[in-house]
Amino acid sequence: MSAEDEDTPPPLPAELRAALGALRAQKPSPALRSRLQAALERSERAPIAAPARAAPVLRGPGLAAGVLMGAVLLGALVLRATGERGGDPGPVRLPAREVAFRLPGNGAGWLELPWTHDVHSGAPATVQLETSPPLDFLLHPPALARVGCDEARCVHEFIARTGAAATPLRVRIDRPGRYEFRVSHASDLRHVQEHFVVVAAH
C-alpha cells in the first residue's frame, strides 16, 4: 500500500452516504428552531468551562469512523432536542377557516388575520406566513426575513408578540378574489398551523 493510499480514507458505505444525505436535507421545524435558540441562550448564560484539549486528527480508517460517530452524535442531539418534555407531539393543525372581507370603496384594504396567538401565553412566537405569489400584498409589520418565493407560494418569517400585546398579522388586499394564507407559529409552549381562506368582495 502506498503512502497516498494511507492518506485516502476508504469510501463510505452506500447506506451511510444515503443517511447523511437525508440528514443534510432535513429542515428543522419552527418549534425545534425556537427550542434550539432557547438552548443557545441558556448556554451563553452558563459559566465558561476550562478549555478542552485538542482532539486528535483522524487519518485513514479512523476518519470514516469519526464521520460515522459524528453523524450518530448529531442524530442523538436532534433526538434530545425534540425529545425534551417527553417527546415532540408535532404541530397542532387547526381546520381551515373562511374569512369574508369587504373591500373599501377605493379598492384596497387591510385584513387582520385572526391567528390564535393566545395559545402561547404571551411568549414570543416564530411565525411563518405563506401566501400565493400572485397576491400583491404588504405585510404589517414588515417581515424580518423572506424565506423564499417560487411559482406556488411565498413565505415570510418573523418573531411576533403574543397574548395581550400580540402582533397583528395584517395583509393588504387590493382586488376581489379568493386568497389562501397558511400561518405557522411556534413558541416553547406550542406549535400551531392555521389555514385561512379569504373571500374578498366589493
Side-chain angles (χ1 to χ4, degrees):
M1 180 180 285
S2 69
E4 184 177 335
D5 290 336
E6 289 177 1
D7 289 339
T8 304
L12 294 175
E15 296 85 2
L16 182 56
R17 285 198 311 272
L20 288 172
L23 187 61
R24 286 190 192 103
Q26 285 291 328
K27 293 190 188 255
S29 69
L32 177 58
R33 284 198 299 260
S34 295
R35 283 199 295 273
L36 290 174
Q37 181 66 33
L40 286 172
E41 289 171 2
R42 284 193 302 270
S43 69
E44 288 175 354
R45 291 192 298 266
I48 298 174
R53 292 185 310 183
V57 177
L58 296 174
R59 295 189 181 275
L63 180 61
V67 170
L68 178 59
M69 183 58 69
V72 170
L73 289 174
L74 180 60
L77 286 173
V78 171
L79 288 175
R80 181 176 177 188
T82 57
E84 290 177 357
R85 298 189 298 272
D88 185 359
V92 175
R93 290 179 175 84
L94 299 182
R97 288 187 279 167
E98 186 168 301
V99 178
F101 180 61
R102 184 159 301 283
L103 290 164
N106 63 2
W110 288 94
L111 166 69
E112 186 169 323
L113 296 174
W115 67 299
T116 55
H117 55 80
D118 55 336
V119 300
H120 301 292
S121 302
T126 301
V127 177
Q128 283 192 340
L129 174 64
E130 177 184 321
T131 180
S132 54
L135 176 63
D136 181 20
F137 82 101
L138 298 172
L139 179 63
H140 180 76
L144 298 183
R146 175 177 281 187
V147 176
C149 286
D150 56 29
E151 293 181 2
R153 64 181 190 153
C154 281
V155 178
H156 292 261
E157 183 175 292
F158 51 96
I159 304 296
R161 298 184 310 273
T162 68
T167 302
L169 302 186
R170 296 188 184 107
V171 291
R172 184 177 180 271
I173 298 177
D174 60 2
R175 59 184 180 270
R178 182 179 184 275
Y179 304 96
E180 292 193 33
F181 299 93
R182 295 183 188 274
V183 181
S184 174
H185 44 99
S187 66
D188 287 339
L189 302 174
R190 299 280 186 278
H191 181 190
V192 179
Q193 292 180 345
E194 302 188 70
H195 180 192
F196 299 103
V197 178
V198 176
V199 179
H202 284 298

